[in-house]
Amino acid sequence: MSSEMKLRSYDWFGKNDKMGFVHRSWLRNQGYPSDYFNGRPVIGICNTWSELTPCNGHLRDFAEVVKRGVIDAGGFPLEFPVTSLGETIMRPTTMLFRNLAAMDTEESIRANPLDGIVLLTGCDKTTPSTVMGACSVDLPTLVVPGGPMLNGRFKGECLGSGSFNWMVKEKTLVENYTAEDILEAEIGVARSAGHCMTMGTASTMACMVEALGLTLPGAAAIPAVDSRKKVLAQLSGRRIVEMVKEGMKLSKILTRQAFENAIVVNAAVGGSTNFIIHLLAIAGRIGVDLSLEDFDAIGSKIPLLVNLKPSGKYLMEDFYYAGGLPVVIKELKKYLYNDAITVNGRSIGENNQAPVCYNQDVIATIEKPLQEKAGIAVLKGNLCEQGAVIKPSAATKELMKHRGRAVVFETIEDYHTRIDDPGLDIDETCVIVLKGVGPKGYPGMPEVGNVDLPEKLLRKGVKDMIRISDGRMSGTAAGTVVLHVSPESAVGGTLAFVKDGDMIELDVENRRLQLDVSDEELKKRREAWTAPQPMATRGYVRLYIDHVQQAHLGADMDVLRGGSGSEVTRDLH
Ligand code: FES
């Protein structure tokens, strides 16, 4: 540390006055020696551990390992909890609380005597929420992703967590799975600590932070229970102390180039559509100009290299043994900004020069990719004036250009009531339209866009249909699913005016999503429309409804975009 560099924590611990006494004395009830307050960088270990977030259940132990590293390097670790979001448990949807968790992270960091931050993350929203919060403070920050579970195993099959859920109805109807089978499968797909081991949203987020340069190299794919994950956690603890001494703030790493790299990598790994909404929100916090259109312009020409479920064959454990994300980054060299700097002080190109691929069936080469153009397509048209998204690698080729009759569900409850009604007028050429699942309307934009097909069509062997909504889709799901329609139906987007029997055209190649209804007729429908009542009148949910932005902006709250920095001029007195 340069002699003139003053630690931020000095303002709390460095003074020999009344307040210096107060700040030090109470902390010393935990038995810290006095030299801990004498110029050691204070590292906040921001922990999303919670028994209600099963994917992060092992992070309590991990915090201890990070602390070892911090102490190795001469720092002073202090662990603190933040709101944790358990994807499979929370109602109505964790996405409603992503911004709350980001607020909690931001204010917990800013208000405390911290010089550097390690974010311990895992389940889907725990990565973007903490990164968003940390960006608004902009201290040196490093992410330790908790790692995926071991591969799921049941009845001789390799099962992907998350992905199997979407098959339960089909397995029961078509493969005669019994209730006992399903009960046994529950634990077969959750064999160890860690997050979903498909290339679902959690794995996508882990790859995102590695591609952004926010982790030590190779962090994303190491399984949660592999001892090498703990080595990474300890080394991360050592490194964050150095980062404080080097003044390596988040904004030095999160440049426009880093965001472009993340989009390229996400396309090559076949990452979740949720990547878009979270990366847009993170860019909004750190002040990088990123738009929905960038995801298509930068990502859609990138080849698919990683053969992982939900659209491929393998799981994260296989990905790690094949060489993990470093192999992908090396293969993508010609598409990346290789000199983008990462948390270890070296560039992404320097970090990933020499990895070896041990299984080309899991990670393909750039010369022989699994698919020529992956990435996410951004659609435009009168049905989605501000855009909508589709993941072509998860869609059915034949449906990518299709014109079909709309079968409309006004709410998710309406869908559940009628979808399996034998009298429902629907066939495989129809387009399922679901309204009321956007950021304000639901509220919280749940992962319901990939609704199950009607039972009568599943029995006929129909595997996919076009589904359109203002909601999101789990990264573990697949299908020809148009998501994130913006503006959403609850604020009077065109989606609100679609009626049963209207014709809808989807043309992914030409990026078009069109409702074949005349402007005059749409005007009439708009005039007759009344906005739905907000789903909450008080509390955080009301605040969220009043301030959340539309999907094409990342669904952050307007008052949370940007940052307030790390300075707090007033003491507690
Ligand atoms: Fe936590 Fe899938 S439910 S990562």
Side-chain angles (χ1 to χ4, degrees), residues 206-286:
C207 292
M208 176 189 80
V209 285
E210 185 170 338
L212 284 168
L214 296 181
T215 70
L216 293 184
I222 310 174
V225 295
D226 193 304
S227 48
R228 287 164 283 193
K229 195 88 201 189
K230 286 192 171 162
V231 174
L232 180 112
Q234 184 159 349
L235 294 178
S236 298
R238 289 183 190 170
R239 177 59 198 154
I240 187 67
V241 177
E242 298 300 318
M243 286 172 68
V244 170
K245 293 176 182 172
E246 293 163 12
M248 191 184 245
K249 294 201 268 183
L250 263 176
S251 54
K252 291 196 178 167
I253 296 166
L254 291 180
T255 60
R256 164 87 193 185
Q257 294 185 341
F259 281 89
E260 291 199 22
N261 283 348
I263 294 173
V264 169
V265 170
N266 187 63
V269 300
S272 154
T273 44
N274 288 320
F275 167 81
I276 304 173
I277 216 144
H278 299 318
L279 198 74
L280 283 167
I282 292 167
R285 294 297 185 105
I286 202 77

Coordinates of all heavy atoms in Angstrom, one line a residue, residues 206-286:
A206 N -22.8 -17.4 -12.7 CA -21.4 -17.7 -12.3 C -20.5 -17.5 -13.5 O -19.4 -16.9 -13.4 CB -21.3 -19.2 -11.8
C207 N -21.0 -17.9 -14.7 CA -20.2 -17.7 -15.9 C -20.1 -16.2 -16.2 O -19.1 -15.7 -16.7 CB -20.8 -18.4 -17.1 SG -20.6 -20.2 -17.0
M208 N -21.2 -15.5 -16.0 CA -21.2 -14.1 -16.2 C -20.2 -13.3 -15.4 O -19.4 -12.5 -15.9 CB -22.6 -13.5 -15.9 CG -22.8 -12.0 -16.0 SD -24.3 -11.4 -15.4 CE -24.0 -11.3 -13.6
V209 N -20.1 -13.6 -14.1 CA -19.2 -12.9 -13.3 C -17.7 -13.3 -13.6 O -16.8 -12.4 -13.5 CB -19.5 -13.0 -11.7 CG1 -20.6 -12.2 -11.3 CG2 -19.7 -14.4 -11.3
E210 N -17.5 -14.5 -14.0 CA -16.2 -14.9 -14.4 C -15.8 -14.2 -15.7 O -14.7 -13.6 -15.9 CB -16.0 -16.4 -14.6 CG -14.6 -16.8 -14.9 CD -14.3 -18.3 -14.9 OE1 -15.1 -19.1 -14.2 OE2 -13.4 -18.8 -15.5
A211 N -16.8 -14.1 -16.7 CA -16.5 -13.4 -17.9 C -16.3 -11.9 -17.8 O -15.6 -11.2 -18.5 CB -17.6 -13.7 -18.9
L212 N -17.0 -11.3 -16.8 CA -16.9 -9.9 -16.5 C -15.5 -9.6 -15.9 O -15.1 -8.4 -15.8 CB -18.0 -9.4 -15.6 CG -19.4 -9.2 -16.1 CD1 -20.4 -9.0 -15.0 CD2 -19.4 -8.0 -17.1
G213 N -14.8 -10.6 -15.4 CA -13.6 -10.4 -14.7 C -13.7 -10.3 -13.2 O -12.7 -9.8 -12.5
L214 N -14.8 -10.7 -12.6 CA -15.0 -10.4 -11.2 C -14.7 -11.6 -10.3 O -14.8 -11.5 -9.1 CB -16.5 -10.1 -11.0 CG -17.0 -8.7 -11.6 CD1 -18.4 -8.5 -11.3 CD2 -16.1 -7.6 -11.1
T215 N -14.2 -12.7 -10.9 CA -13.8 -13.9 -10.1 C -12.3 -14.2 -10.5 O -11.8 -13.8 -11.5 CB -14.6 -15.1 -10.4 OG1 -14.3 -15.6 -11.7 CG2 -16.1 -14.9 -10.3
L216 N -11.7 -15.0 -9.6 CA -10.4 -15.6 -10.0 C -10.7 -16.6 -11.2 O -11.8 -17.1 -11.3 CB -9.8 -16.3 -8.9 CG -9.3 -15.4 -7.7 CD1 -8.6 -16.3 -6.6 CD2 -8.4 -14.3 -8.2
P217 N -9.7 -16.8 -12.1 CA -10.0 -17.6 -13.3 C -10.5 -19.0 -12.9 O -10.0 -19.6 -12.0 CB -8.6 -17.7 -14.0 CG -7.8 -16.6 -13.4 CD -8.3 -16.3 -12.0
G218 N -11.4 -19.5 -13.7 CA -11.9 -20.9 -13.5 C -12.9 -21.1 -12.4 O -13.3 -22.2 -12.1
A219 N -13.4 -20.0 -11.8 CA -14.3 -20.1 -10.6 C -15.6 -20.7 -10.9 O -16.2 -21.5 -10.1 CB -14.5 -18.7 -10.0
A220 N -16.2 -20.4 -12.1 CA -17.7 -20.7 -12.3 C -18.0 -22.2 -12.2 O -19.1 -22.5 -11.6 CB -18.1 -20.1 -13.6
A221 N -17.2 -23.0 -12.8 CA -17.7 -24.4 -13.0 C -17.3 -25.3 -11.8 O -17.8 -26.5 -11.7 CB -17.1 -25.0 -14.3
I222 N -16.4 -24.9 -10.9 CA -16.0 -25.9 -9.9 C -17.2 -26.3 -9.0 O -17.9 -25.4 -8.4 CB -14.9 -25.3 -9.0 CG1 -13.8 -24.7 -9.8 CG2 -14.4 -26.3 -8.0 CD1 -12.7 -23.9 -9.0
P223 N -17.5 -27.6 -8.9 CA -18.6 -28.0 -8.0 C -18.5 -27.5 -6.6 O -17.4 -27.4 -6.1 CB -18.6 -29.5 -8.1 CG -17.9 -29.8 -9.4 CD -16.9 -28.7 -9.5
A224 N -19.6 -27.2 -6.0 CA -19.6 -26.7 -4.6 C -18.9 -27.6 -3.6 O -18.2 -27.1 -2.7 CB -21.1 -26.6 -4.1
V225 N -18.9 -28.9 -3.8 CA -18.3 -29.8 -2.9 C -16.9 -30.3 -3.2 O -16.3 -31.1 -2.5 CB -19.2 -31.1 -2.7 CG1 -20.5 -30.7 -2.0 CG2 -19.4 -31.8 -4.0
D226 N -16.4 -29.7 -4.3 CA -15.0 -30.1 -4.7 C -14.1 -29.2 -3.9 O -14.2 -28.0 -3.7 CB -14.8 -29.7 -6.2 CG -13.6 -30.3 -6.8 OD1 -12.5 -30.0 -6.2 OD2 -13.7 -31.0 -7.8
S227 N -13.0 -29.9 -3.3 CA -12.1 -29.1 -2.4 C -11.5 -28.0 -3.1 O -11.0 -27.0 -2.5 CB -11.1 -30.1 -1.8 OG -10.5 -30.9 -2.8
R228 N -11.4 -28.0 -4.4 CA -10.8 -26.9 -5.2 C -11.6 -25.7 -5.1 O -11.1 -24.6 -5.3 CB -10.5 -27.4 -6.6 CG -9.3 -28.4 -6.7 CD -9.3 -29.1 -8.0 NE -10.3 -30.1 -8.1 CZ -10.3 -31.1 -9.1 NH1 -9.4 -31.1 -10.0 NH2 -11.2 -32.0 -9.1
K229 N -12.9 -25.8 -4.8 CA -13.7 -24.6 -4.6 C -13.2 -23.9 -3.3 O -13.2 -22.6 -3.3 CB -15.2 -25.0 -4.4 CG -16.1 -23.8 -4.6 CD -16.5 -23.7 -6.1 CE -16.9 -22.4 -6.5 NZ -17.4 -22.4 -7.8
K230 N -12.9 -24.6 -2.3 CA -12.4 -24.0 -1.1 C -11.0 -23.3 -1.3 O -10.7 -22.3 -0.7 CB -12.3 -25.0 0.1 CG -13.7 -25.3 0.6 CD -13.7 -26.1 1.9 CE -15.1 -26.2 2.4 NZ -15.2 -27.2 3.4
V231 N -10.2 -24.0 -2.1 CA -8.9 -23.4 -2.4 C -9.2 -22.0 -3.1 O -8.6 -21.0 -2.8 CB -8.1 -24.3 -3.3 CG1 -6.8 -23.5 -3.8 CG2 -7.7 -25.6 -2.6
L232 N -10.1 -22.0 -4.0 CA -10.5 -20.8 -4.7 C -11.0 -19.7 -3.7 O -10.6 -18.5 -3.8 CB -11.5 -21.0 -5.8 CG -11.9 -19.8 -6.6 CD1 -11.5 -19.9 -8.0 CD2 -13.4 -19.5 -6.5
A233 N -11.8 -20.1 -2.8 CA -12.3 -19.2 -1.8 C -11.2 -18.6 -1.0 O -11.2 -17.4 -0.7 CB -13.3 -19.9 -0.9
Q234 N -10.2 -19.4 -0.6 CA -9.1 -18.9 0.3 C -8.2 -17.9 -0.6 O -7.8 -16.9 -0.1 CB -8.3 -20.1 0.8 CG -7.2 -19.6 1.8 CD -6.7 -20.6 2.7 OE1 -7.3 -21.7 2.8 NE2 -5.6 -20.3 3.4
L235 N -8.0 -18.3 -1.8 CA -7.2 -17.5 -2.7 C -7.9 -16.1 -2.9 O -7.3 -15.1 -3.0 CB -6.8 -18.2 -4.0 CG -5.9 -19.4 -3.9 CD1 -5.7 -20.0 -5.2 CD2 -4.6 -19.0 -3.2
S236 N -9.2 -16.2 -3.0 CA -10.0 -15.0 -3.2 C -9.9 -14.1 -2.0 O -9.8 -12.8 -2.1 CB -11.5 -15.3 -3.5 OG -11.6 -16.1 -4.6
G237 N -9.8 -14.7 -0.8 CA -9.7 -13.9 0.4 C -8.3 -13.2 0.4 O -8.2 -12.0 0.8
R238 N -7.3 -13.9 -0.1 CA -6.0 -13.3 -0.1 C -6.0 -12.1 -1.2 O -5.4 -11.0 -0.9 CB -4.9 -14.3 -0.6 CG -4.6 -15.3 0.5 CD -3.5 -16.2 -0.1 NE -3.3 -17.3 0.8 CZ -2.5 -18.4 0.5 NH1 -1.9 -18.5 -0.6 NH2 -2.4 -19.4 1.4
R239 N -6.6 -12.4 -2.3 CA -6.5 -11.4 -3.4 C -7.3 -10.1 -3.1 O -6.8 -9.1 -3.5 CB -7.1 -12.1 -4.7 CG -7.1 -11.2 -5.9 CD -5.7 -10.6 -6.3 NE -5.9 -9.5 -7.2 CZ -5.0 -8.5 -7.3 NH1 -3.9 -8.5 -6.6 NH2 -5.3 -7.5 -8.1
I240 N -8.4 -10.2 -2.4 CA -9.1 -9.0 -2.2 C -8.3 -8.0 -1.3 O -8.4 -6.8 -1.5 CB -10.5 -9.3 -1.5 CG1 -11.4 -8.0 -1.4 CG2 -10.4 -9.9 -0.1 CD1 -11.8 -7.4 -2.8
V241 N -7.5 -8.5 -0.5 CA -6.6 -7.6 0.3 C -5.7 -6.8 -0.6 O -5.5 -5.6 -0.5 CB -5.8 -8.4 1.4 CG1 -4.9 -7.5 2.2 CG2 -6.8 -9.1 2.4
E242 N -5.1 -7.6 -1.6 CA -4.2 -6.9 -2.5 C -5.0 -5.9 -3.4 O -4.5 -4.8 -3.7 CB -3.6 -8.0 -3.5 CG -2.8 -9.0 -2.8 CD -1.6 -8.4 -2.1 OE1 -1.0 -7.5 -2.7 OE2 -1.3 -8.8 -1.0
M243 N -6.2 -6.3 -3.7 CA -7.0 -5.3 -4.6 C -7.3 -4.0 -3.8 O -7.3 -2.9 -4.4 CB -8.4 -6.0 -4.9 CG -8.3 -7.0 -6.0 SD -9.8 -7.9 -6.2 CE -10.8 -6.6 -7.0
V244 N -7.5 -4.1 -2.5 CA -7.7 -2.9 -1.7 C -6.4 -2.0 -1.8 O -6.4 -0.8 -2.0 CB -8.0 -3.2 -0.3 CG1 -8.0 -2.0 0.6 CG2 -9.4 -3.9 -0.2
K245 N -5.3 -2.7 -1.6 CA -4.0 -2.0 -1.7 C -3.7 -1.3 -3.0 O -3.1 -0.3 -3.1 CB -2.8 -2.9 -1.3 CG -2.9 -3.3 0.2 CD -1.8 -4.3 0.5 CE -1.9 -4.8 2.0 NZ -1.0 -5.9 2.3
E246 N -4.2 -2.0 -4.1 CA -4.0 -1.5 -5.4 C -5.1 -0.5 -5.9 O -5.1 0.1 -6.9 CB -4.0 -2.7 -6.4 CG -2.8 -3.6 -6.3 CD -3.0 -4.9 -7.0 OE1 -4.0 -5.1 -7.8 OE2 -2.3 -5.9 -6.7
G247 N -6.1 -0.3 -5.0 CA -7.2 0.6 -5.3 C -8.0 0.1 -6.5 O -8.5 1.0 -7.3
M248 N -8.1 -1.2 -6.7 CA -8.8 -1.7 -7.8 C -10.3 -1.8 -7.6 O -10.9 -2.8 -7.2 CB -8.2 -3.1 -8.2 CG -8.7 -3.6 -9.5 SD -8.1 -5.2 -9.8 CE -7.0 -5.0 -11.1
K249 N -11.0 -0.7 -7.9 CA -12.4 -0.6 -7.7 C -13.2 -1.4 -8.8 O -12.7 -1.6 -9.9 CB -12.9 0.8 -7.7 CG -12.3 1.6 -6.6 CD -13.1 2.9 -6.3 CE -12.6 4.1 -7.1 NZ -13.4 5.3 -6.8
L250 N -14.4 -1.7 -8.5 CA -15.3 -2.4 -9.4 C -15.4 -1.7 -10.8 O -15.3 -2.3 -11.8 CB -16.7 -2.5 -8.9 CG -17.2 -3.7 -8.2 CD1 -18.6 -3.6 -7.7 CD2 -17.1 -4.9 -9.1
S251 N -15.4 -0.3 -10.7 CA -15.6 0.4 -12.0 C -14.3 0.3 -12.9 O -14.4 0.6 -14.1 CB -15.9 1.9 -11.7 OG -14.9 2.4 -10.8
K252 N -13.2 -0.1 -12.3 CA -12.0 -0.3 -13.2 C -12.1 -1.6 -14.0 O -11.5 -1.8 -15.0 CB -10.7 -0.3 -12.3 CG -10.4 1.0 -11.7 CD -9.0 1.1 -11.2 CE -8.7 2.4 -10.6 NZ -7.5 2.5 -9.8
I253 N -12.9 -2.5 -13.5 CA -13.1 -3.8 -14.1 C -14.3 -3.8 -15.0 O -14.3 -4.3 -16.1 CB -13.1 -4.9 -13.1 CG1 -11.8 -5.0 -12.3 CG2 -13.5 -6.3 -13.7 CD1 -11.8 -5.8 -11.1
L254 N -15.4 -3.3 -14.5 CA -16.6 -3.3 -15.2 C -16.7 -2.2 -16.3 O -17.5 -1.2 -16.1 CB -17.8 -3.2 -14.2 CG -18.0 -4.5 -13.4 CD1 -19.1 -4.4 -12.4 CD2 -18.1 -5.7 -14.2
T255 N -16.0 -2.3 -17.3 CA -16.0 -1.4 -18.4 C -17.0 -1.9 -19.5 O -17.4 -3.1 -19.4 CB -14.6 -1.3 -19.1 OG1 -14.3 -2.6 -19.5 CG2 -13.6 -0.8 -18.1
R256 N -17.2 -1.1 -20.5 CA -18.1 -1.5 -21.6 C -17.5 -2.8 -22.2 O -18.2 -3.7 -22.6 CB -18.2 -0.4 -22.6 CG -18.7 -0.7 -23.9 CD -20.2 -0.7 -24.1 NE -20.6 -1.3 -25.3 CZ -21.8 -1.4 -25.8 NH1 -22.8 -0.9 -25.1 NH2 -22.1 -2.0 -26.9
Q257 N -16.2 -2.9 -22.3 CA -15.6 -4.0 -22.9 C -15.9 -5.3 -22.1 O -16.1 -6.4 -22.7 CB -14.1 -3.8 -23.0 CG -13.7 -2.7 -24.0 CD -12.2 -2.6 -24.2 OE1 -11.4 -3.0 -23.4 NE2 -11.9 -1.9 -25.3
A258 N -15.8 -5.2 -20.8 CA -16.1 -6.4 -19.9 C -17.5 -6.8 -20.2 O -17.8 -8.0 -20.2 CB -15.9 -6.0 -18.5
F259 N -18.5 -5.9 -20.3 CA -19.9 -6.3 -20.6 C -20.0 -7.0 -21.9 O -20.7 -7.9 -22.1 CB -20.8 -5.0 -20.5 CG -21.1 -4.6 -19.1 CD1 -20.3 -3.7 -18.4 CD2 -22.2 -5.1 -18.4 CE1 -20.5 -3.4 -17.1 CE2 -22.5 -4.8 -17.1 CZ -21.6 -3.9 -16.4
E260 N -19.3 -6.4 -22.9 CA -19.4 -7.1 -24.2 C -18.8 -8.5 -24.2 O -19.3 -9.4 -24.8 CB -18.6 -6.3 -25.3 CG -19.4 -4.9 -25.6 CD -19.0 -4.3 -26.9 OE1 -18.5 -5.0 -27.8 OE2 -19.2 -3.1 -27.0
N261 N -17.7 -8.7 -23.4 CA -17.1 -10.0 -23.2 C -18.2 -11.0 -22.6 O -18.3 -12.1 -23.0 CB -15.9 -10.0 -22.3 CG -14.7 -9.4 -23.1 OD1 -14.7 -9.3 -24.3 ND2 -13.6 -9.1 -22.3
A262 N -18.9 -10.4 -21.6 CA -19.9 -11.3 -20.9 C -21.0 -11.7 -21.9 O -21.4 -12.9 -21.9 CB -20.5 -10.6 -19.7
I263 N -21.4 -10.8 -22.8 CA -22.4 -11.2 -23.8 C -21.9 -12.3 -24.7 O -22.6 -13.2 -25.1 CB -22.9 -9.9 -24.6 CG1 -23.6 -9.0 -23.6 CG2 -23.8 -10.3 -25.7 CD1 -23.9 -7.6 -24.2
V264 N -20.7 -12.1 -25.2 CA -20.1 -13.1 -26.1 C -20.0 -14.5 -25.4 O -20.4 -15.5 -25.9 CB -18.7 -12.7 -26.5 CG1 -17.9 -13.8 -27.2 CG2 -18.8 -11.4 -27.4
V265 N -19.5 -14.5 -24.1 CA -19.4 -15.8 -23.4 C -20.7 -16.4 -23.1 O -20.9 -17.6 -23.3 CB -18.6 -15.6 -22.1 CG1 -18.6 -16.8 -21.2 CG2 -17.1 -15.2 -22.4
N266 N -21.7 -15.6 -22.8 CA -23.0 -16.1 -22.5 C -23.6 -16.8 -23.7 O -24.3 -17.9 -23.6 CB -24.0 -15.0 -22.1 CG -25.3 -15.5 -21.6 OD1 -25.4 -16.3 -20.6 ND2 -26.4 -15.2 -22.3
A267 N -23.4 -16.2 -24.9 CA -23.9 -16.9 -26.1 C -23.2 -18.2 -26.3 O -23.9 -19.2 -26.6 CB -23.6 -16.0 -27.3
A268 N -21.9 -18.3 -26.1 CA -21.2 -19.5 -26.4 C -21.5 -20.7 -25.4 O -21.4 -21.8 -25.7 CB -19.7 -19.3 -26.3
V269 N -21.9 -20.3 -24.1 CA -22.3 -21.3 -23.2 C -23.8 -21.6 -23.2 O -24.2 -22.5 -22.5 CB -21.9 -20.9 -21.7 CG1 -20.4 -20.7 -21.6 CG2 -22.7 -19.7 -21.2
G270 N -24.5 -20.9 -24.0 CA -26.0 -21.2 -24.1 C -26.7 -20.7 -22.8 O -27.5 -21.4 -22.3
G271 N -26.3 -19.6 -22.3 CA -26.8 -19.1 -21.0 C -28.2 -18.7 -21.0 O -28.8 -18.5 -22.1
S272 N -28.8 -18.6 -19.8 CA -30.2 -18.3 -19.6 C -30.6 -16.9 -20.2 O -29.8 -15.9 -20.2 CB -30.4 -18.3 -18.1 OG -31.5 -17.5 -17.7
T273 N -31.8 -16.7 -20.5 CA -32.4 -15.4 -21.0 C -32.4 -14.4 -19.8 O -32.4 -13.2 -20.0 CB -33.8 -15.5 -21.5 OG1 -34.5 -16.4 -20.6 CG2 -33.8 -16.1 -22.9
N274 N -32.3 -15.0 -18.6 CA -32.3 -14.1 -17.4 C -31.0 -13.2 -17.4 O -30.9 -12.2 -16.7 CB -32.4 -14.9 -16.1 CG -33.8 -15.4 -15.9 OD1 -34.8 -14.7 -16.2 ND2 -33.9 -16.6 -15.5
F275 N -30.0 -13.7 -18.0 CA -28.7 -13.0 -18.1 C -29.0 -11.6 -18.6 O -28.3 -10.6 -18.1 CB -27.8 -13.8 -19.1 CG -26.6 -13.1 -19.6 CD1 -25.5 -13.0 -18.9 CD2 -26.6 -12.4 -20.9 CE1 -24.3 -12.4 -19.3 CE2 -25.5 -11.8 -21.3 CZ -24.3 -11.8 -20.6
I276 N -29.9 -11.4 -19.6 CA -30.1 -10.1 -20.2 C -30.6 -9.1 -19.1 O -30.0 -8.0 -19.0 CB -31.2 -10.2 -21.3 CG1 -30.8 -11.2 -22.3 CG2 -31.5 -8.9 -21.9 CD1 -31.9 -11.5 -23.3
I277 N -31.6 -9.5 -18.4 CA -32.2 -8.6 -17.5 C -31.3 -8.3 -16.3 O -31.2 -7.1 -15.9 CB -33.5 -9.3 -17.0 CG1 -34.6 -8.2 -16.8 CG2 -33.4 -10.1 -15.8 CD1 -36.0 -8.7 -17.1
H278 N -30.4 -9.2 -15.9 CA -29.5 -8.9 -14.8 C -28.3 -8.1 -15.3 O -27.9 -7.2 -14.6 CB -29.0 -10.2 -14.1 CG -30.2 -11.0 -13.5 ND1 -31.2 -10.5 -12.8 CD2 -30.4 -12.4 -13.5 CE1 -32.0 -11.4 -12.4 NE2 -31.6 -12.6 -12.8
L279 N -27.8 -8.4 -16.5 CA -26.7 -7.7 -16.9 C -27.0 -6.2 -17.2 O -26.3 -5.3 -16.9 CB -26.1 -8.3 -18.2 CG -24.6 -7.8 -18.5 CD1 -23.6 -8.5 -17.5 CD2 -24.2 -8.2 -19.9
L280 N -28.3 -6.0 -17.8 CA -28.7 -4.6 -18.0 C -28.8 -3.9 -16.7 O -28.4 -2.7 -16.6 CB -30.1 -4.6 -18.6 CG -30.2 -5.0 -20.1 CD1 -31.6 -5.3 -20.6 CD2 -29.6 -3.8 -21.0
A281 N -29.3 -4.5 -15.6 CA -29.4 -3.9 -14.3 C -28.1 -3.6 -13.7 O -27.8 -2.5 -13.2 CB -30.2 -4.8 -13.4
I282 N -27.1 -4.5 -13.9 CA -25.7 -4.2 -13.4 C -25.1 -3.1 -14.1 O -24.5 -2.2 -13.5 CB -24.9 -5.5 -13.5 CG1 -25.4 -6.6 -12.5 CG2 -23.4 -5.2 -13.2 CD1 -24.9 -8.0 -12.8
A283 N -25.3 -3.0 -15.4 CA -24.7 -1.9 -16.2 C -25.3 -0.6 -15.8 O -24.6 0.4 -15.7 CB -25.0 -2.2 -17.7
G284 N -26.6 -0.6 -15.5 CA -27.3 0.6 -15.1 C -26.7 1.1 -13.7 O -26.6 2.3 -13.5
R285 N -26.3 0.2 -12.9 CA -25.7 0.6 -11.6 C -24.3 1.2 -11.7 O -23.9 2.1 -11.0 CB -25.6 -0.6 -10.6 CG -27.0 -1.2 -10.2 CD -27.7 -0.2 -9.4 NE -29.0 -0.8 -8.9 CZ -29.1 -1.1 -7.6 NH1 -28.2 -0.9 -6.7 NH2 -30.3 -1.6 -7.2
I286 N -23.5 0.6 -12.6 CA -22.1 1.0 -12.7 C -21.9 2.1 -13.7 O -20.8 2.7 -13.8 CB -21.2 -0.2 -13.0 CG1 -19.7 0.0 -12.6 CG2 -21.2 -0.6 -14.4 CD1 -19.5 -0.1 -11.1

